[in-house]
Amino acid sequence: MIETLIIGGGAAGLYASSLLTDAVILERNESCGRKLLLTGGGRCNYTHLSPVSELLEHYHGSLPFIRKVLYSHTPEDIIRHLKKFGVTPVNEDGKIFPSSGNAADVLKALLCNQQRIIQGRADSIIKKDDFFLIKTGTTSIEAKNVIIATGGMAYPHTGSDGSGYHLIKELGHCITPPRPVLAPLNLEPSLKEAEGVSTYITIKKGKKAISGMAVITKRGISGPVAEDFSYLLNGKEKIAIKFDAPELKALRETKGSALLKNSLSIPPRLAKAILGDIAEKKIANLSAKEEQEASEALSNGIYTAYPIAQGAMSTAGGVKTAEINASTMESKLIPNLYFAGDIIDVDADCGGYSLTWAFATAYIATATIASHKTI
């Protein structure tokens, strides 16, 4: 009989196992932490050092639930825990990276307990009287406590393919339908003629607006502003994009003889993609209608957008927070069943916030399990 089985060897599962010396990880991949190694461009932005009151602005979901979690295990706590295992933090505008600049060092620290890892996929889970029966392939595992940390549906090739949802439903929990977030956006019409261009933009939907850097792709846009905005989109929706360009009326007086595409603060290739043939005209030769059309396209261009699932770094949706005790991460329906990380119906902006959530929820679950042992 295993004391605690952690299903999923991603960030949340690994953090939990670094806190419990007798935990066993069930991981479907040949090795743990594949997605962790990709975070922060391979550098692993493992938390964000800000007061919890400011951190809360970067999370989406039940605010009372999120607040309880973040106050229970803060970024300072995460930094201290990993520092014990040799991860020296470097602060870059609040984003915390390992000083080595290598995500592999964070993974090595999280494997500090030389945890026992069973390779396999949890096909089903059944609650018996005082233990769980987990079937994987042709074998079965019995465990007193189970932490489900299988992640969402982002990065399927790393193991986060949504396979944990069926386990949760099997146990009677409700799932908020998952959708990709922290994802690049598909745009219709596309701006593919400017593929590779980086630019500052503001994306708007109703009263919501987010500004930041974007990279033009063949299908739409990627980069921090697209990723942070993706949580606002549920399928195809109309959005407005404001590009960082000056007023055309002012340009007519100072650069009337220049081509429009060469007079804007955005790259000429992007101006051409946005404005079409109008971009090739001299500013002085623009008709009133053309000037109005160009101004509208640059300040309030309307596009149909939706998140691209293949590039998503996180998932909105998951097990409903109303069915989890925020103080313990224990299921309100089934004793000794716990949840951690992206499997919970909470998502966050990019910048170390998602890993902060994974680590904080994992800590709470393990602290609860440890406290039960001493009773």
Side-chain angles (χ1 to χ4, degrees), residues 110-181:
L110 293 176
L111 290 168
C112 59
N113 281 335
Q114 297 182 330
Q115 295 91 325
R116 179 186 169 196
I117 300 169
I118 299 173
Q119 186 181 352
R121 172 175 175 154
D123 295 321
S124 67
I125 179 169
I126 301 170
K127 181 67 165 72
K128 298 292 186 178
D129 293 335
D130 58 353
F131 68 95
F132 294 89
L133 179 65
I134 301 93
K135 293 185 177 180
T136 170
T138 58
T139 63
S140 296
I141 302 170
E142 294 181 356
K144 292 181 181 178
N145 304 289
V146 169
I147 301 175
I148 297 182
T150 51
M153 297 181 68
Y155 287 98
H157 64 285
T158 67
S160 296
D161 61 357
S163 59
Y165 297 133
H166 85 276
L167 297 176
I168 296 168
K169 290 180 180 178
E170 194 174 34
L171 291 165
H173 274 278
C174 294
I175 300 292
T176 301
R179 57 187 176 85
V181 291

Side-chain angles (χ1 to χ4, degrees), residues 49-329:
L49 191 57
S50 293
V52 171
S53 58
E54 294 179 14
L55 290 179
L56 288 170
E57 299 174 6
H58 298 275
Y59 290 86
H60 318 293
S62 169
L63 191 59
F65 189 95
I66 296 167
R67 182 185 292 112
K68 183 73 174 178
V69 169
L70 296 181
Y71 273 110
S72 296
H73 196 62
T74 66
E76 290 88 349
D77 294 325
I78 293 169
I79 291 169
R80 276 193 293 270
H81 179 63
L82 290 177
K83 206 170 184 180
K84 289 188 298 185
F85 305 108
V87 178
T88 303
V90 169
N91 189 332
E92 297 182 9
D93 297 323
K95 297 178 181 179
I96 305 300
F97 296 88
S99 60
S100 65
N102 192 343
D105 289 338
V106 177
L107 176 58
K108 182 180 178 181
L110 293 176
L111 290 168
C112 59
N113 281 335
Q114 297 182 330
Q115 295 91 325
R116 179 186 169 196
I117 300 169
I118 299 173
Q119 186 181 352
R121 172 175 175 154
D123 295 321
S124 67
I125 179 169
I126 301 170
K127 181 67 165 72
K128 298 292 186 178
D129 293 335
D130 58 353
F131 68 95
F132 294 89
L133 179 65
I134 301 93
K135 293 185 177 180
T136 170
T138 58
T139 63
S140 296
I141 302 170
E142 294 181 356
K144 292 181 181 178
N145 304 289
V146 169
I147 301 175
I148 297 182
T150 51
M153 297 181 68
Y155 287 98
H157 64 285
T158 67
S160 296
D161 61 357
S163 59
Y165 297 133
H166 85 276
L167 297 176
I168 296 168
K169 290 180 180 178
E170 194 174 34
L171 291 165
H173 274 278
C174 294
I175 300 292
T176 301
R179 57 187 176 85
V181 291
L182 291 187
L185 302 181
N186 187 93
L187 293 184
E188 299 172 1
S190 75
L191 301 170
K192 60 183 178 181
E193 296 85 355
E195 183 179 0
V197 168
S198 295
T199 187
Y200 187 88
I201 64 173
T202 297
I203 310 178
K204 296 174 285 183
K205 175 194 167 188
K207 295 181 179 180
K208 298 283 188 177
I210 297 179
S211 300
M213 292 301 297
V215 179
I216 309 301
T217 67
K218 190 173 183 178
R219 298 176 61 181
I221 54 174
S222 64
V225 68
E227 293 162 0
D228 286 345
F229 198 85
S230 63
Y231 83 92
L232 292 172
L233 300 177
N234 190 6
K236 287 188 176 183
E237 297 191 52
K238 295 289 186 182
I239 64 169
I241 298 180
K242 181 182 185 299
F243 296 89
D244 190 24
E247 292 290 331
L248 297 190
K249 289 182 180 179
L251 290 178
R252 185 181 287 275
E253 298 177 4
T254 59
K255 297 183 179 181
S257 62
L259 296 179
L260 177 57
K261 70 177 184 180
N262 295 330
S263 305
L264 303 172
S265 50
I266 59 177
R269 196 153 55 93
L270 178 58
K272 172 68 174 175
I274 298 168
L275 303 174
D277 293 339
I278 296 177
E280 302 290 353
K281 289 193 171 186
K282 291 183 179 180
I283 296 174
N285 295 340
L286 293 175
S287 67
K289 181 181 179 181
E290 288 171 334
E291 185 175 305
Q292 178 61 34
E293 289 177 354
S295 294
E296 184 68 16
L298 291 169
S299 63
N300 194 45
I302 303 300
Y303 298 83
T304 299
Y306 62 85
I308 302 173
Q310 295 91 326
M313 291 186 287
S314 188
T315 307
V319 61
K320 292 188 175 183
T321 52
E323 298 178 352
I324 305 172
N325 185 329
S327 298
T328 63
M329 288 299 108

